[in-house]
Amino acid sequence: QKEVEQDPGPLSVPEGAIVSLNCTYSNSAFQYFMWYRQYSRKGPELLMYTYSSGNKEDGRFTAQVDKSSKYISLFIRDSQPSDSATYLCAMRESNSGYALNFGKGTSLLVTP
Amino acid sequence: DTAVSQTPKYLVTQMGNDKSIKCEQNLGHDTMYWYKQDSKKFLKIMFSYNNKELIINETVPNRFSPKSPDKAHLNLHINSLELGDSAVYFCASSSGGELFFGEGSRLTVL
């Protein structure tokens, strides 16, 4: 399943840095795009959910979708040690029974 | 009050054994899923049920059999366990948008 590509990292940044996480995809039928955060030994939890191209902001998090380039990004501003986790991009077509196609996840470590 | 709960959280068993994982959601969602997460953290869809009806069945060995007694429950039974079945199995539910995941069931086959 290589429809969604994501660099697994690990990515290590100092506290306060801006983090950029990215995914590319090949299926132009993908309509809905999400970012999940997964802490160690926990289930994934939704961070951001977008439908259209453009930016969506929620606190320190900004999700960006560029459907023409088949590229999505998640930006984390003023990163904190508590942001250390694996970040998974996910996407789906509108009529696929709602199953999500996940990237492999990027492991992020924010050091104090 | 846990939204999606899975039991057991940990399973250690021998090759060839049969095991089951249970999942329950109290969110009132119509759709439930089983995902498998391998050691490299890749989450792959296995099955999806909508109102007790199987709607997604990815290429999964016949040894894996899901059962949905009602729309709040989706169980996974695995026969003749193999070493390659070792993974974390996540149950999730949805009403059409976001997926809500359980905490996972970590299966180790020795």
Side-chain angles (χ1 to χ4, degrees):
Chain A
Q1 185 179 338
K2 293 189 176 177
E3 286 188 301
V4 183
E5 298 280 354
Q6 184 177 9
D7 186 339
L11 181 62
S12 182
V13 302
E15 185 175 355
I18 297 175
V19 176
S20 171
L21 304 166
N22 311 294
C23 287
T24 58
Y25 61 96
S26 57
N27 185 350
S28 56
F30 286 143
Q31 301 282 333
Y32 300 90
F33 304 91
M34 303 176 200
W35 285 95
Y36 279 79
R37 178 175 61 196
Q38 185 177 20
Y39 290 114
S40 181
R41 307 257 167 179
K42 296 288 186 184
E45 55 179 346
L46 184 73
L47 267 182
M48 301 288 281
Y49 184 177
T50 58
Y51 169 69
S52 57
S53 283
N55 291 356
K56 181 177 179 180
E57 193 173 313
D58 185 0
R60 297 185 295 110
F61 299 91
T62 300
Q64 196 172 73
V65 174
D66 182 349
K67 287 186 181 178
S68 62
S69 302
K70 298 193 183 71
Y71 187 90
I72 69 170
S73 300
L74 178 71
F75 297 96
I76 307 174
R77 288 184 298 281
D78 187 24
S79 55
Q80 304 293 310
S82 59
D83 295 328
S84 299
T86 297
Y87 290 80
L88 300 139
C89 64
M91 48 198 79
R92 65 174 173 87
E93 301 175 29
S94 60
N95 60 349
S96 64
Y98 311 126
L100 288 176
N101 296 275
F102 281 86
K104 289 192 173 184
T106 300
S107 176
L108 171 67
L109 177 65
V110 181
T111 55
Chain B
D1 198 16
T2 307
V4 181
S5 58
Q6 301 178 224
T7 53
K9 284 195 163 101
Y10 298 96
L11 272 162
V12 181
T13 190
Q14 300 287 331
M15 276 176 57
N17 285 350
D18 303 339
K19 288 292 177 188
S20 292
I21 307 171
K22 295 186 175 182
C23 179
E24 176 182 2
Q25 56 98 1
N26 63 8
L27 297 167
H29 292 162
D30 289 337
T31 309
M32 295 185 72
Y33 311 80
W34 278 110
Y35 276 83
K36 179 181 179 181
Q37 189 171 48
D38 60 25
S39 57
K40 295 187 178 178
K41 296 282 193 176
F42 183 49
L43 265 171
K44 185 169 180 184
I45 181 74
M46 299 174 70
F47 302 103
S48 175
Y49 271 75
N50 182 267
N51 267 322
K52 302 193 298 174
E53 184 182 335
L54 181 65
I55 55 171
I56 292 176
N57 183 358
E58 289 295 309
T59 307
V60 176
N62 290 339
R63 300 181 293 103
F64 291 78
S65 52
K67 281 199 172 52
S68 181
D70 56 62
K71 73 174 193 176
H73 295 84
L74 180 61
N75 304 323
L76 183 66
H77 188 74
I78 316 170
N79 289 329
S80 304
L81 279 156
E82 300 178 358
L83 291 176
D85 298 332
S86 295
V88 182
Y89 293 84
F90 284 99
C91 177
S93 73
S94 167
S95 61
E98 171 187 0
L99 263 63
F100 291 81
F101 284 86
E103 299 251 298
S105 296
R106 183 174 294 270
L107 172 64
T108 303
V109 183
L110 303 174

